[in-house]
Amino acid sequence: MFARLRNDFPILDTRIGESPLSYLDSGATSQKPQCVIDTFTEYYSQRNAAVHRGAHSLAVMATEAFEAGRDAVANLVGGAPEQVCWTKNATEALNIVALGIDRASRGLGGDEAARFALGPGDSIVVTEMEHHANLVPWQQLARSTGARLRWLPVTDSGELDLTDLGGIVDATTKVFAFTHVSNVLGTINPVETLVARAREVGALVVLDACQSVPHMPVDFPALDVDFAAFSAHKALGPTGLGVLWGRTELLDSLPPVLTGGSMITTVTMDEAEFMPAPQRFEAGTQPVAEVAAFATALGYLAEVGLDKVLDHERELVRVLLDGIAEIPGIRVLGSAENRIGAVAFDVAGVHAHDVGQYLDSQGVAVRVGHHCAQPLHRRFGVTASTRASTYLYNDVEDCRRFLTALAEVRPFFGVTDAEAAS
Amino acid sequence: MFARLRNDFPILDTRIGESPLSYLDSGATSQKPQCVIDTFTEYYSQRNAAVHRGAHSLAVMATEAFEAGRDAVANLVGGAPEQVCWTKNATEALNIVALGIDRASRGLGGDEAARFALGPGDSIVVTEMEHHANLVPWQQLARSTGARLRWLPVTDSGELDLTDLGGIVDATTKVFAFTHVSNVLGTINPVETLVARAREVGALVVLDACQSVPHMPVDFPALDVDFAAFSAHKALGPTGLGVLWGRTELLDSLPPVLTGGSMITTVTMDEAEFMPAPQRFEAGTQPVAEVAAFATALGYLAEVGLDKVLDHERELVRVLLDGIAEIPGIRVLGSAENRIGAVAFDVAGVHAHDVGQYLDSQGVAVRVGHHCAQPLHRRFGVTASTRASTYLYNDVEDCRRFLTALAEVRPFFGVTDAEAAS
Amino acid sequence: MTDQMQQLYQQVILDHSRARTGNAALLREAAAGAHGYSHQVNPTCGDEIELETELETGGGLSVRWTGDGCSISMASASVLAELAAESTAERMLEIEAKFHELMHSRGTMEADEEILGDAAAFTGVSKFPARIKCALLAWMAFKDALSQAQSSLEEK
Amino acid sequence: MTDQMQQLYQQVILDHSRARTGNAALLREAAAGAHGYSHQVNPTCGDEIELETELETGGGLSVRWTGDGCSISMASASVLAELAAESTAERMLEIEAKFHELMHSRGTMEADEEILGDAAAFTGVSKFPARIKCALLAWMAFKDALSQAQSSLEEK
Ligand SMILES: Cc1ncc(COP(=O)(O)O)c(C=O)c1O
Ligand SMILES: Cc1ncc(COP(=O)(O)O)c(C=O)c1O
């Protein structure tokens, strides 16, 4: 099946110079199947209109497409459609939670928001492997509320160090925000253990699901998280769309951050009343075409089956890891067994940027840099790494091309083993 | 020229039941020419990748498309590309300014943000004709900072009442936020006069340019505004994209609201440093395909010429206003001479929702409701109105079809003049 | 004019939207019996309704309302008030459930005129997704007000 | 291996990226003469450079730097330091301007070897938009540090 499916992605026929394209950068953003691309054409040619605000036929069709998108997400990750709030990306989704708590901590949002209030003496816990999107908003929140920011460290094997979980997540902890899967290491974190500890101390759980939802079956209600965030563009969907998922009673009481049209009930010159979720978080004209395209993407993913996607990517990551082990001078960051198809590594004597440039000249697209995880890179003693990441359209041939090119990198830059060791 | 141009918009061939479509709802969102739709196909089939973060060829192409979009906007509205920050919609853009000022007022954002700080004793001025997007964020800011919110009233003719401009915008005024063009009345406001007063008292000027940029030539540096906001979807562009335009020195010192990846320089577990504008306002993966499509849209608009668009729409609005004047029982809201092609009205004895429904049955798509301007509707003694709004693809035939259908509305609902008058 | 429009705007609806049963000043605190009040807004179009219901000692009930909205929402309130005058609270909840089901049937359901009475005229609305909320607005207010009235009765 | 890759990674660049001129511990406060310091980061890839320059009384100048980054950025700093050792401040600003122009030429400009010296080897970089910042990082730090050194000289 996976071999056939590759043909659904027109960009994979692109040639980079003389080489065919091996796209191993899906951790940054995924490519799109033809059906998703076609949804844009279809939407803008047949049913484009502003949603929720009109009686005319186009508006009705657009509204139906928009709301059907919520159903598609709820089908994928569990919960009811009203638990799905559209955002521009996962980053906005995480910020909505952090900034909503910030507002609640200032006494804004009424009595029902008081449950979110934070202050000096309270703590927020994250981990050392977070993407900046799930770190910087919490730093900002800690700074503005006076709460303390703490974090779970990462072991040499690239897993969360749970030795002091009970000490770090303690009675002062009001929010525990962590990633389901590391975008650098590929490690799948033990959500159950972390949630169990959060429940013991009564902390809110915020899950960064950016790297899990596209690559494996995920069920938020079963994981028992309070809020979760992910982006459409990493899951075969378009740019410009993300999801904030939450428990209804929490969403309905969290103060909205962005305010304006379509999220209010009554507005006078002096004040405004907000709608319940999901609308309260959807101020202004929404990414409607993007929602329609994402619904198509989720239909495609559902047809393939996310359990199969995970299996497929695990086969590929085996090929990658085994192949890399045979190339001298490559250090893979982390070695977790429970992982998705993302592999970050350091090439002795060659900077990641140069590694990426060489691989690109061979048609192999990988990511280089800190992958928005500077603290994690610092933990591993580097400022940058090269990351190969897979998706359902990759095959063993992509991995082989990558491995062949990678073996040529150090010779090309004239790095000898002796030099690199120094 | 305008007759031919209609063929570029595939959706205009849609039939609503047995009727051809007359789309008179561009004030809510515009339709898209084929070239804009094709840009999605082209982008996702040939150069989709995450921008600004990779050395590989696709990433380079995507980054170029993304940055070229800024050039296209700067060409249209003036200023340098770095003055163009991408947002999800105009609403987000206006919120970034209001929430950035909120942060500055709490002492966040360092010394350079102090210039934005507001407190009790200060005032924020808006107008009674604002869209909720340019009203509610300022209400929220007033509430959280203790500043006072004031507003310029609207006259019976649907223009700003400037009688007491000097008293309302006074020495306490720190922010003066107003719309360039009313989305309900179509009135073009005297920006020069308003800006001149703001300059006298040293207030920041925030311009809601949602209804001006798509319909007429606009030059922000010439208008001498500090910040401006508009949405792509109203200007032939895609959903999911807006613009915050600002003076460089202001953008660089305004504290960012959404934080995360791609907007930072250095991140440790404890703190983060932010990049200058535009990146500081662009946290997370951006709507890259949307930017590419918007650049195409702006190219299309530039080719037509926005001066010609304004002339064309003014011809159509004449036809609309003259025609409506002949139909008994219709009251048009506002009567400004200096206007774009938007006409809102009240039908005696028939609720706007029913008016819209009847027009839709005749293939005429209009907007009904409060158009996100409840206070303005209250000012005119109604809770809802029907609005017909034009764009470059409309023709006199659309106006005729609308007028014919509108004349049938009261008879259909069996409203006699005597009854309506009661 | 299309068939669908005729189905949507049945004569019954047009009549009720003009001669509105129960459309009267609210009593509020002045109400004698067990009493409930609800204010509902349809943020999409600005339709608004304030509705109060009073439970009578014999099990009957009465509904008064004021509102501003489209013909569908006003007619629906009027029909509701008319039905309330002839029914018990229990019966009204039964009608409400049927009406709710009918509205969400996308035009695939036959209206049960025995139960629904004049409310059966709203069958055509179910084919217009944007208008369903209009038809349901008064009923939402009624359910809310009734449950308040019932709990105030229990307290007594 | 493509032609473009050979143009990008000229031998001069690879050599400089390994044997780095001027790559030495910074003096900071210990510096004797008029002195400027700059820290530049390329947030895209994490490349970083700390560079200081000292103006000598005779009009000459010296550059010291430490950094972490790709071969292009490190080689560029090394070439800069080598050129600085042979030039005046004025001459260096001339080179900087030419280099800046070359980098933004998208491969359409011939490098002026007379002025640029070893920096001419970076011509191929201008065809790789994502790498231009790497080549310019040290130069940005230099311009910043130099203007500080010059103003501290004026103050004296
Ligand atoms: C005058 C005006 N301001 C603001 C907005 C909000 O724009 P958006 O919904 O695209 O954020 C609109 C359009 O809805 C508008 O017409
Ligand atoms: C783990 C993780 N969290 C958050 C993000 C941020 O997602 P986005 O950039 O789509 O907002 C990403 C991807 O960039 C990610 O991999």
Side-chain angles (χ1 to χ4, degrees):
Chain A
M1 169 174 68
F2 284 92
R4 247 184 304 121
L5 185 157
R6 202 181 158 86
N7 300 323
D8 298 337
F9 295 79
I11 206 170
L12 299 180
D13 294 334
T14 308
R15 292 189 84 79
I16 305 297
E18 295 124 49
S19 313
L21 169 65
S22 286
Y23 186 77
L24 289 169
D25 194 18
S26 298
T29 201
S30 71
Q31 298 303 344
K32 324 299 171 202
Q34 190 64 49
C35 58
V36 170
I37 301 172
D38 289 344
T39 301
F40 278 100
T41 306
E42 193 249 301
Y43 177 82
Y44 283 128
S45 309
Q46 290 171 33
R47 50 192 166 128
N48 175 57
V51 302
H52 282 312
R53 288 193 242 161
H56 67 75
S57 303
L58 290 178
V60 171
M61 286 190 280
T63 304
E64 283 183 353
F66 186 64
E67 294 302 323
R70 271 189 240 279
D71 297 341
V73 170
N75 276 340
L76 185 80
V77 299
E82 311 84 66
Q83 294 179 261
V84 176
C85 312
W86 300 119
T87 63
K88 68 195 275 190
N89 53 26
T91 302
E92 185 195 346
L94 293 163
N95 274 277
I96 284 178
V97 180
L99 291 167
I101 296 176
D102 189 28
R103 293 187 85 76
S105 306
R106 296 159 77 192
L108 302 168
D111 291 346
E112 73 267 32
R115 65 196 295 173
F116 295 109
L118 278 187
D122 293 326
S123 71
I124 302 162
V125 178
V126 296
T127 86
E128 203 180 7
M129 65 163 77
E130 296 311 309
H131 186 283
H132 296 160
N134 201 30
L135 170 59
V136 185
W138 303 116
Q139 290 177 347
Q140 298 291 308
L141 179 63
R143 190 167 153 211
S144 66
T145 58
R148 212 175 127 198
L149 185 72
R150 295 190 195 163
W151 56 90
L152 285 181
V154 167
T155 65
D156 288 340
S157 67
E159 290 163 302
L160 290 178
D161 183 347
L162 303 181
T163 324
D164 194 24
L165 175 60
I168 296 167
V169 177
D170 68 10
T172 68
T173 306
K174 293 289 173 299
V175 179
F176 187 14
F178 54 84
T179 193
H180 195 171
V181 173
S182 162
N183 65 312
V184 178
L185 312 165
T187 313
I188 302 176
N189 287 320
V191 178
E192 295 75 5
T193 311
L194 303 174
V195 170
R197 179 58 191 154
R199 293 292 166 236
E200 280 169 17
V201 300
L204 282 175
V205 174
V206 181
L207 186 73
D208 177 349
C210 282
Q211 296 289 343
S212 56
V213 163
H215 300 285
M216 56 195 261
V218 173
D219 183 331
F220 294 142
L223 291 174
D224 191 26
V225 298
D226 295 307
F227 294 103
F230 60 96
S231 279
H233 70 92
K234 293 188 201 272
L236 308 186
T239 55
L241 184 67
V243 169
L244 170 64
W245 183 98
R247 284 189 205 284
T248 301
E249 74 274 19
L250 295 177
L251 289 175
D252 282 344
S253 49
L254 187 70
V257 178
L258 303 179
T259 57
S262 307
M263 53 79 74
I264 51 81
T265 50
T266 311
V267 178
T268 64
M269 285 309 292
D270 289 307
E271 58 189 356
E273 277 167 37
F274 304 135
M275 292 176 73
Q279 281 80 16
R280 73 201 269 110
F281 301 111
E282 298 177 353
T285 304
Q286 294 296 299
V288 186
E290 287 73 11
V291 167
F294 191 37
T296 305
L298 294 183
Y300 186 96
L301 275 177
E303 210 166 293
V304 176
L306 277 154
D307 48 343
K308 300 225 179 61
V309 171
L310 182 60
D311 288 347
H312 175 71
E313 292 196 58
R314 280 187 164 158
E315 274 172 41
L316 297 181
V317 80
R318 260 295 112 231
V319 175
L320 291 176
L321 289 170
D322 290 349
I324 290 174
E326 287 176 17
I327 304 173
I330 315 276
R331 174 169 70 113
V332 172
L333 307 186
S335 57
E337 274 305 312
N338 193 18
R339 71 187 304 154
I340 63 156
V343 180
F345 54 86
D346 182 48
V347 178
V350 186
H351 189 273
H353 223 142
D354 297 315
V355 175
Q357 194 77 56
Y358 185 82
L359 295 181
D360 182 58
S361 77
Q362 307 300 306
V364 179
V366 296
R367 185 112 315 216
V368 298
H370 52 60
H371 318 304
C372 298
Q374 289 183 4
L376 180 64
H377 278 83
R378 224 169 272 127
R379 163 67 182 80
F380 281 95
V382 290
T383 53
S385 69
T386 305
R387 180 189 67 189
S389 56
T390 62
Y391 208 1
L392 75 182
Y393 38 67
N394 290 119
D395 56 20
V396 172
E397 189 54 32
D398 289 328
C399 299
R400 294 242 169 78
R401 269 200 223 108
F402 162 79
L403 292 167
T404 304
L406 183 59
E408 293 162 3
V409 166
R410 294 172 78 241
F412 174 81
F413 288 100
V415 181
T416 63
D417 287 338
E419 201 176 342
S422 77
Chain B
M1 170 173 73
F2 285 92
R4 245 184 305 119
L5 187 155
R6 204 182 156 86
N7 300 322
D8 298 337
F9 295 78
I11 205 170
L12 300 181
D13 294 334
T14 308
R15 293 188 83 79
I16 305 297
E18 294 123 49
S19 312
L21 168 65
S22 286
Y23 186 77
L24 290 169
D25 194 18
S26 297
T29 201
S30 71
Q31 297 303 343
K32 323 300 170 201
Q34 190 64 48
C35 57
V36 169
I37 301 173
D38 289 344
T39 302
F40 278 100
T41 307
E42 194 249 302
Y43 177 83
Y44 283 128
S45 310
Q46 291 172 32
R47 49 193 167 129
N48 175 56
V51 302
H52 282 311
R53 290 193 240 162
H56 66 75
S57 303
L58 289 179
V60 170
M61 286 190 279
T63 304
E64 283 184 353
F66 186 64
E67 293 302 325
R70 270 190 241 280
D71 297 341
V73 170
N75 276 339
L76 185 78
V77 299
E82 311 84 65
Q83 294 179 258
V84 176
C85 312
W86 301 118
T87 62
K88 67 194 277 192
N89 53 25
T91 302
E92 186 195 347
L94 293 164
N95 273 277
I96 285 179
V97 180
L99 291 167
I101 296 176
D102 190 29
R103 294 188 85 76
S105 305
R106 295 159 76 190
L108 303 168
D111 291 344
E112 73 266 32
R115 66 195 295 173
F116 295 109
L118 278 188
D122 293 327
S123 71
I124 303 163
V125 179
V126 296
T127 86
E128 203 181 7
M129 65 163 76
E130 295 312 309
H131 187 282
H132 296 159
N134 201 30
L135 170 59
V136 186
W138 303 115
Q139 291 177 346
Q140 298 291 308
L141 178 62
R143 189 167 155 210
S144 67
T145 58
R148 212 175 128 197
L149 185 73
R150 295 189 196 165
W151 57 90
L152 285 182
V154 167
T155 65
D156 286 341
S157 66
E159 291 164 300
L160 291 179
D161 183 347
L162 302 181
T163 324
D164 195 25
L165 174 60
I168 295 167
V169 177
D170 67 10
T172 68
T173 307
K174 293 289 175 299
V175 179
F176 187 13
F178 53 84
T179 193
H180 195 170
V181 173
S182 163
N183 65 313
V184 178
L185 312 165
T187 312
I188 302 177
N189 287 321
V191 178
E192 295 75 6
T193 311
L194 303 173
V195 170
R197 179 59 191 154
R199 293 292 166 236
E200 280 169 17
V201 301
L204 283 173
V205 173
V206 181
L207 186 72
D208 177 348
C210 282
Q211 295 290 344
S212 56
V213 163
H215 300 285
M216 57 195 259
V218 174
D219 183 331
F220 294 142
L223 291 174
D224 191 28
V225 299
D226 296 306
F227 294 103
F230 60 96
S231 278
H233 70 92
K234 293 189 202 272
L236 308 186
T239 55
L241 183 67
V243 169
L244 169 64
W245 183 98
R247 285 189 204 284
T248 301
E249 73 275 18
L250 295 176
L251 289 175
D252 282 345
S253 49
L254 187 70
V257 178
L258 302 179
T259 58
S262 307
M263 54 78 74
I264 52 80
T265 51
T266 311
V267 178
T268 63
M269 285 308 291
D270 289 308
E271 56 188 357
E273 277 166 39
F274 304 135
M275 292 176 75
Q279 281 81 17
R280 73 201 270 109
F281 301 111
E282 298 176 354
T285 303
Q286 294 297 298
V288 186
E290 287 73 11
V291 167
F294 190 38
T296 304
L298 293 183
Y300 185 95
L301 275 178
E303 211 167 292
V304 176
L306 277 155
D307 47 344
K308 300 226 179 61
V309 171
L310 182 60
D311 288 346
H312 175 71
E313 292 196 57
R314 280 187 164 158
E315 274 172 43
L316 297 181
V317 82
R318 261 294 113 230
V319 176
L320 291 177
L321 289 171
D322 291 349
I324 292 174
E326 289 176 18
I327 304 173
I330 314 276
R331 174 170 68 114
V332 172
L333 307 186
S335 56
E337 275 304 312
N338 193 19
R339 70 187 305 154
I340 64 157
V343 179
F345 54 87
D346 181 48
V347 178
V350 186
H351 189 273
H353 223 142
D354 297 315
V355 175
Q357 194 78 57
Y358 184 83
L359 295 181
D360 182 58
S361 77
Q362 307 300 307
V364 178
V366 296
R367 185 113 313 219
V368 298
H370 53 59
H371 318 305
C372 298
Q374 289 184 3
L376 181 63
H377 278 82
R378 224 169 273 126
R379 163 68 183 79
F380 281 95
V382 290
T383 55
S385 68
T386 305
R387 180 189 67 190
S389 56
T390 62
Y391 208 3
L392 74 183
Y393 38 68
N394 290 118
D395 55 19
V396 172
E397 188 55 34
D398 289 328
C399 300
R400 294 242 170 78
R401 267 199 225 110
F402 162 79
L403 291 168
T404 305
L406 183 59
E408 293 162 3
V409 165
R410 293 172 77 241
F412 176 80
F413 288 100
V415 181
T416 62
D417 288 338
E419 200 176 342
S422 76
Chain C
M1 201 190 49
T2 65
D3 264 14
Q4 288 216 335
M5 282 294 279
Q6 274 167 325
Q7 283 170 29
L8 177 62
Y9 291 111
Q10 300 266 324
Q11 196 58 44
V12 179
I13 293 182
L14 294 182
D15 291 347
H16 270 283
S17 79
R18 268 167 295 168
R20 302 173 179 177
T21 305
N23 188 2
L26 303 188
L27 298 179
R28 305 304 304 265
E29 302 316 317
H35 169 268
Y37 164 84
S38 179
H39 179 198
Q40 297 288 333
V41 181
N42 180 343
T44 332
C45 57
D47 281 9
E48 242 182 287
I49 198 159
E50 291 185 273
L51 180 149
E52 64 185 14
T53 186
E54 228 180 311
L55 284 176
E56 284 148 22
T57 37
L61 75 173
S62 70
V63 160
R64 262 177 310 278
W65 61 275
T66 62
D68 184 10
C70 67
S71 60
I72 308 284
S73 64
M74 296 298 101
S76 181
S78 172
V79 169
L80 188 159
E82 198 168 281
L83 290 166
E86 310 157 351
S87 315
T88 60
E90 208 181 328
R91 176 69 174 181
M92 280 302 282
L93 288 174
E94 210 178 305
I95 300 178
E96 194 279 330
K98 259 276 170 290
F99 190 67
H100 198 273
E101 194 188 346
L102 179 67
M103 285 303 100
H104 286 100
S105 71
R106 302 197 151 233
T108 61
M109 210 171 122
E110 279 278 343
D112 184 336
E113 292 197 36
E114 199 116 332
I115 297 182
L116 291 170
D118 270 6
F122 291 82
T123 310
V125 177
S126 69
K127 284 188 200 144
F128 291 82
R131 306 308 295 276
I132 295 169
K133 273 196 196 158
C134 312
L136 290 174
L137 196 68
W139 292 90
M140 275 168 58
F142 173 70
K143 253 183 95 167
D144 184 21
L146 181 62
S147 83
Q148 287 172 40
Q150 285 175 327
S151 36
S152 94
L153 194 64
E154 277 159 28
E155 276 166 25
K156 281 178 189 170
Chain D
M1 200 190 50
T2 64
D3 263 12
Q4 288 216 335
M5 280 296 278
Q6 273 168 326
Q7 283 169 30
L8 177 63
Y9 291 111
Q10 300 267 323
Q11 197 57 43
V12 180
I13 294 181
L14 294 182
D15 290 348
H16 269 284
S17 80
R18 267 168 293 170
R20 301 173 179 178
T21 304
N23 189 212
L26 303 188
L27 297 179
R28 305 304 305 265
E29 302 316 318
H35 168 269
Y37 163 84
S38 181
H39 179 198
Q40 297 289 333
V41 181
N42 180 344
T44 331
C45 58
D47 282 9
E48 241 182 288
I49 198 158
E50 290 185 273
L51 180 148
E52 64 185 13
T53 188
E54 228 179 313
L55 284 176
E56 284 148 21
T57 37
L61 75 174
S62 71
V63 160
R64 264 176 311 276
W65 61 276
T66 62
D68 183 11
C70 67
S71 60
I72 308 285
S73 64
M74 296 297 103
S76 181
S78 171
V79 168
L80 188 160
E82 199 168 280
L83 290 166
E86 308 158 353
S87 314
T88 60
E90 208 180 327
R91 176 71 174 177
M92 280 303 282
L93 287 176
E94 210 179 305
I95 300 178
E96 193 280 331
K98 259 275 171 289
F99 190 68
H100 199 270
E101 194 189 347
L102 179 68
M103 284 303 99
H104 287 100
S105 71
R106 302 197 152 233
T108 61
M109 209 172 123
E110 278 279 342
D112 184 336
E113 291 199 35
E114 199 117 328
I115 298 183
L116 291 171
D118 269 8
F122 291 82
T123 310
V125 177
S126 69
K127 285 190 202 144
F128 290 81
R131 307 308 296 274
I132 296 169
K133 273 196 196 157
C134 313
L136 289 175
L137 196 67
W139 291 89
M140 274 168 58
F142 173 69
K143 253 183 93 167
D144 184 20
L146 181 61
S147 81
Q148 287 172 39
Q150 286 175 326
S151 36
S152 94
L153 194 63
E154 277 158 28
E155 277 164 26
K156 281 177 190 169

